[in-house]
Amino acid sequence: ASGRSTPSAVMWSDEGSRTAGSLIVAVSAVAFSTAGLFTRLIAADVWTMLFWRGLFGGLLIGAYIAWRERGEMRGAFAAIGWAGVLAATCSTVATICFIAALRATTVADVTIIYATAPFIAAVIAWAWTRDYPHRTTLTASGLALVGVVIMCGCSPSQGQVAGDLLALAMTVLMALMMVVIRKNRRVSMLPVSSCSSPARI
């Protein structure tokens, strides 16, 4: 009756959060994996695609924020602070690089390079927040980056090399955004997503 959380309740809450987080990541990975297919199916140029993607994305997310906040929309956007602005900037530039990379190189190259994002994020977190990763994580990070360098060096054309470099830039920016979000967990990322979508237009 004291209102305090028991250790078992806290543990259950932590485990529930981890399970929900893992499920959300799995669903997002499946959804993200279709981006290459749909991008290749669309005949429009990169900037036209970014325009419509940013327009509809910004409107839909903004409408949801307006519905959820019930008149406090301005406060929700003001509360994101510098962390939200940095995350939105990273998201905007990363998306531009991502769409351009899918047009310049293979979907497989973009996907493999982006798979190194968790390792790059671990290195950024270590350098910025002193969140020390395990040695195995650092070793895997090094091997992953070596693989990316080899893949870019073995690309059959200059256009594909440019695409691989765009994919790498996208990956570094997304990794930085992950660290910013992790470091500022109390900042709502919905306004950030709404801001980054129109910025691509």
Side-chain angles (χ1 to χ4, degrees), residues 56-72:
F56 283 108
L59 288 176
L60 289 173
I61 298 173
Y64 175 74
I65 296 172
W67 171 80
R68 195 182 75 166
E69 297 298 331
R70 310 289 186 181
E72 298 296 331

Side-chain angles (χ1 to χ4, degrees), residues 3 29 48 55-56 60 74-75 90-92 95-97 103 106 125 127 138 145-146 148 156 181 186 193 195 197:
T48 300
L55 179 63
F56 283 108
L60 289 173
R74 180 179 297 180
C90 290
S91 177
T92 299
T95 301
I96 295 172
C97 292
R103 289 302 180 88
T106 65
L138 292 176
L145 290 177
V146 169
V148 169
I181 293 173
R186 295 185 178 181
S193 299
C195 289
S197 293

